[in-house]
Amino acid sequence: GLSGLWWNARTSGQGIFFNQNYPSSIAFVGWFTYDAAGNTKWYVGDRCAMTDGVSCTTQLYETKGATFDGTTFNNGALALTPVGEATFNFANDQTATMRYILKGVTGTIDLVRQPF
């Protein structure tokens, strides 16, 4: 399958978690990256439907608020804000491309599966 950690060596320290549910072929996507100030950012998409087996598009949400650092977790503090969308195209089980629109900025990232 396509589930796993995907990244681009030119942007080491950033990447994509792609978790495909079988047999539905709907994937959860987690994009960990950094903003312009160097702060960590998480964007998630929960309904990336692989209708053709090689591509999917999902709305992206920015996550904020809830912490998991030894304090009592407060689910009410969690905020998900829609900020764009991402489309994944898999050439095979080792290479992919992510095209995104994030807060009005478009881009493309070539991805490979993280080797272990």
Side-chain angles (χ1 to χ4, degrees):
L2 302 172
S3 292
L5 179 60
W6 294 78
W7 75 306
N8 184 304
R10 292 184 313 234
T11 57
S12 184
Q14 303 178 61
I16 303 290
F17 287 103
F18 192 87
N19 190 19
Q20 190 175 4
N21 183 346
Y22 297 99
S24 73
S25 293
I26 295 175
F28 173 84
V29 176
W31 180 9
F32 55 99
T33 188
Y34 301 91
D35 66 14
N39 300 308
T40 55
K41 297 300 272 185
W42 278 92
Y43 302 102
V44 297
D46 66 346
R47 302 215 184 272
C48 207
M50 304 283 293
T51 56
D52 60 4
V54 295
S55 63
C56 68
T57 299
T58 186
Q59 184 168 15
L60 292 174
Y61 297 89
E62 182 175 6
T63 64
K64 290 184 182 177
T67 62
F68 188 73
D69 61 359
T71 62
T72 302
F73 183 80
N74 178 1
N75 194 49
L78 177 64
L80 298 174
T81 305
V83 291
E85 72 176 28
T87 298
F88 295 86
N89 292 296
F90 293 87
N92 52 51
D93 66 354
Q94 297 297 312
T95 60
T97 301
M98 180 180 82
R99 289 181 178 80
Y100 62 88
I101 302 170
L102 184 66
K103 298 180 180 180
V105 176
T106 61
T108 301
I109 302 173
D110 293 322
L111 300 167
V112 296
R113 188 185 292 268
Q114 171 69 43
F116 290 101

